[in-house]
RNA sequence: GUGGGCGUAGCUCAGCUGGUAGAGCUCCUGGUUGUGGUCCAGGCGGUCGGGGGUUCGAGUCCCCUCGCUCACCCCA
């Protein structure tokens, strides 16, 4: 067993049934997003490493320990994309999209790569569907992207979904707040749990999630980022909330919501599903008003989200997708008849029929069994005494010249 | 990176206190039936994840290793 070549850790093959479910998901995403004016974009699978170190943030876990980075053979370091927003912003700047009618609305469905330890709903190559709206700081953009995501998850029947919403304000406000929070924690560090105390520098916001009694007491008096927003950001957040209220979108405000990328400003949000395990996040996103400029483009506000395909499928109902119908199965009773059978199948396909030819050397019984298994409506059994055209549903049959098989099927179809 | 659980046929799994491999499903063939479902019979398919060790003998015990999986961390 172990000498067999296996798929690399954290990757998997998408087999038939799952491929069907993914195709259905993609069709739904296309309908919802393109219906709202989003156009599809495909960016490269790998990018210059600096795109992510500058865009996502050098101090993030993603950049520090999760990227597949390698030398491209020249003197440039390249990285398999770990997320989709920075590449879209790079493309926006590179192609001068700021000259298009704003906002520019783009969507994608692609695979991404992070070198994490695999777990339920977390893989090293994973797929995301995402949407980005660039060029407007209108709160309606925030609310509309959230509403679209909410609609998409509902249409995909993702179960037990909850939306958490927060605002990070500007980078400056966030940085100042973080220092204030750290000071608060350090001042009362003897009351904190060991884990929280150890993470004061790395991730002080984590302390809000602790269930440790002493920590809970400390956090009750802790400063909240939402109370530290400047007037413009607070107003922006209030408008986003008002629009979501008006649209009937349920959410809970979470003052401690954090995201893994440094580029977020103002609105941030996350959809979770209780149907998932520890990795309960189904989708997440927010506003990133400084990112395009950070990447060398014109100052451009932006807002968007990404949803995990595998997590959507895990949290969905997993209903089977019907296999495509088979109009005709072409069987034959002797090797000398193969060429005739081949021609019948080809002719049927030219007539836009879904046709399959016997390819496994089965016995007559085996061929009919196969035709039944795949749900073929008709079977043409080519033999030297004529071709038996059998209607599998009606269980009737007739002998016809093999050149007439396709016209007969088309005619019977027209009658029905 | 740190833990827990698990690795026997393509799939789901049995193999008690060590005696050198089984079942069901799938697939294929034949029979039955109505040329397909049912039923009956047969067949294909495994160096028991890998490597050492103990033993007359290891799927079973010991050590190492690889892989899968779940959780921490982080995130989609």
């Amino acid at each position: 067993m172990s000498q067999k070549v296996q798929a690399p850790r954290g990757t998997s093959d998408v087999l038939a049934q799952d491929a069907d479910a993914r195709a259905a998901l993609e069709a739904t995403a296309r309908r919802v997003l393109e219906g709202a004016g989003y156009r599809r974009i495909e960016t490269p699978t790998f990018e210059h490493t600096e795109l992510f170190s500058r865009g996502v943030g050098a101090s993030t876990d993603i950049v520090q320990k999760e990227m597949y980075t390698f030398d491209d053979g020249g003197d440039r370091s390249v990285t398999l994309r770990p997320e989709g927003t920075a590449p879209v912003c790079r493309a926006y700047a590179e192609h001068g999209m700021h000259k298009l009618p704003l906002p520019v609305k783009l969507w994608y469905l692609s695979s991404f790569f992070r070198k994490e330890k695999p777990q339920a709903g977390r893989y090293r190559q994973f797929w995301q569907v995402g949407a980005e709206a660039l060029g407007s700081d209108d709160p309606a953009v925030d609310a509309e992207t959230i509403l679209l995501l909410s609609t998409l998850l509902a249409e995909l029947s993702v179960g037990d979904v909850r939306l958490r919403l927060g605002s990070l304000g500007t980078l400056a406000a966030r940085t100042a707040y973080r220092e204030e929070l750290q000071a608060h924690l350090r001042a009362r560090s003897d009351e904190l749990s060991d884990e929280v105390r150890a993470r004061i520098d790395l991730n002080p916001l984590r302390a809000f999630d602790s269930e440790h009694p002493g920590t809970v007491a400390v956090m009750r008096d802790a400063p909240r980022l939402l109370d530290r927003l400047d007037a413009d950001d607070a107003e922006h957040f209030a408008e986003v909330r008002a629009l979501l209220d008006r649209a009937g979108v349920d959410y809970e405000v979470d003052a401690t919501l954090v995201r893994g990328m440094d580029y977020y400003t103002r609105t941030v949000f996350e959809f979770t599903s209780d149907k998932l395990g520890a990795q309960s996040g189904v989708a997440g996103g927010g506003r990133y008003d400084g990112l395009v400029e950070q990447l060398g483009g014109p100052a451009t506000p932006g807002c968007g989200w990404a949803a995990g395909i595998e997590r959507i499928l895990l949290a969905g109902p997993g209903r089977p997708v019907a296999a495509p119908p088979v109009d005709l199965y072409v069987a034959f009773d002797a090797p000398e008849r193969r060429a005739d059978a081949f021609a019948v199948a080809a002719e049927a396909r030219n007539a836009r029929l879904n046709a399959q030819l016997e390819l496994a050397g089965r016995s007559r019984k085996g061929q009919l069994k196969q035709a039944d298994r795949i749900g073929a409506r008709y079977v043409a059994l080519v033999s030297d005494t004529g071709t038996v055209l059998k209607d599998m549903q009606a269980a009737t049959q007739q002998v016809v010249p093999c050149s007439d098989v396709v016209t007969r099927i088309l005619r019977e179809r027209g009658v029905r």
Side-chain angles (χ1 to χ4, degrees):
Chain A
M1 286 299 207
S2 71
Q3 51 270 56
K4 276 187 194 168
V5 178
Q6 291 178 283
R9 187 169 176 76
T11 68
S12 59
D13 301 307
V14 178
L15 271 23
Q17 327 85 298
D18 208 26
D20 291 340
R22 283 172 182 239
L25 188 161
E26 178 171 346
T28 301
R30 179 185 302 278
R31 176 167 50 75
V32 169
L33 295 171
E34 298 197 346
Y38 284 73
R39 304 289 306 279
R40 184 137 181 190
I41 182 170
E42 288 285 349
T43 61
T45 299
F46 58 91
E47 297 268 3
H48 290 306
T49 300
E50 67 209 68
L51 171 64
F52 303 114
S53 53
R54 278 166 55 187
V56 174
S59 67
T60 60
D61 273 19
I62 290 176
V63 170
Q64 287 212 319
K65 52 187 191 187
E66 295 174 0
M67 298 206 302
Y68 283 98
T69 295
F70 53 99
D71 202 293
D72 71 349
D75 54 356
R76 294 297 286 270
S77 170
V78 296
T79 293
L80 260 31
R81 58 185 174 200
E83 61 99 47
T85 301
V88 167
C89 288
R90 193 225 78 227
Y92 177 92
E94 186 163 337
H95 300 288
M97 292 190 211
H98 59 284
K99 287 173 294 191
L100 297 172
L102 299 180
V104 175
K105 297 183 283 190
L106 303 167
W107 77 283
Y108 57 83
L109 190 154
S110 322
S111 61
F112 298 89
F113 307 84
R114 292 183 201 169
K115 194 161 31 187
E116 298 186 272
K117 195 153 173 183
Q119 159 180 347
R122 191 172 76 186
Y123 309 99
R124 291 186 165 189
Q125 178 180 9
F126 58 100
W127 292 75
Q128 290 186 337
V129 54
E132 315 287 354
L134 292 131
S136 168
D137 64 358
D138 191 318
V141 171
D142 307 54
E144 187 176 80
T145 51
I146 291 170
L147 181 56
L148 281 170
L149 175 53
S150 175
T151 301
L152 178 62
L153 295 177
E155 297 236 353
L156 295 170
S157 305
V158 177
D160 299 344
V161 172
R162 290 186 306 159
L163 167 61
R164 289 188 298 146
L165 188 66
S167 179
L168 301 177
T170 60
L171 184 59
R174 191 155 83 246
T175 306
Y177 166 74
R178 185 184 164 99
E179 284 166 10
E180 183 186 359
L181 177 61
Q182 284 170 331
H184 175 80
L185 291 170
R186 287 202 189 89
R188 297 173 62 177
S189 67
D190 52 325
E191 298 173 56
L192 301 172
S193 72
D194 293 343
E195 305 88 80
V196 169
R197 192 181 313 118
R199 298 186 66 76
I200 290 178
D201 289 326
L202 264 167
N203 189 354
L205 282 162
R206 190 74 191 171
F208 282 106
D209 296 333
S210 174
E211 289 173 10
H212 176 261
T215 305
V216 170
V218 173
M219 299 321 287
R220 234 188 327 262
D221 308 326
R224 302 265 165 170
L225 177 52
L226 284 178
D227 301 326
R228 296 292 184 274
L229 299 182
D230 66 35
D232 283 352
D233 292 346
E235 170 65 17
H236 190 275
F237 188 49
E239 289 184 35
V240 172
R241 291 181 55 181
L243 289 166
L244 289 174
D245 291 339
R246 178 69 182 275
V249 176
D250 286 329
Y251 61 87
E252 51 192 271
V253 172
D254 186 340
T256 67
L257 186 61
V258 285
R259 309 255 76 230
M261 282 66 115
D262 283 351
Y263 51 64
Y264 284 115
T265 57
R266 294 187 158 178
T267 312
V268 290
F269 53 91
E270 180 173 83
F271 282 85
T272 57
S273 170
D274 296 338
K275 297 223 167 186
L276 297 175
Q279 310 304 314
S280 61
V282 177
R287 180 164 279 287
Y288 42 86
D289 289 344
L291 180 53
V292 174
E293 191 173 15
Q294 173 76 24
L295 297 174
T300 306
C303 185
W305 49 258
I309 303 291
E310 290 83 5
R311 292 184 186 179
I312 287 174
L313 293 172
L314 276 173
R319 50 172 171 255
V321 179
V326 179
D327 300 308
L328 175 65
Y329 192 82
V330 185
F332 53 98
D333 68 352
E336 309 82 70
R337 301 272 78 82
R338 181 195 285 110
D340 290 339
F342 188 90
V344 169
E347 189 193 342
R349 292 184 191 120
N350 284 339
R352 298 285 178 89
L353 293 174
N354 290 341
Q356 293 191 38
L357 176 66
E358 166 61 25
L359 296 170
R362 292 184 180 84
S363 65
R364 173 180 289 218
K365 172 175 178 169
Q367 294 186 64
L368 276 166
K369 184 169 179 164
Q370 174 67 5
D372 185 51
R373 196 156 41 203
I374 63 177
R377 178 61 203 274
Y378 294 96
V379 170
L381 176 60
V382 180
S383 74
D384 54 359
T385 58
T387 296
V388 178
L389 179 59
K390 183 174 171 63
D391 182 330
M392 296 291 276
Q393 265 177 33
T396 58
Q397 63 186 49
Q398 54 189 317
V399 178
V400 302
C402 81
S403 58
D404 283 4
V405 167
V406 171
T407 43
R408 294 274 182 145
I409 292 173
L410 291 174
R411 196 165 65 212
E412 286 198 31
R413 257 195 163 185
V415 169
R416 287 203 309 274

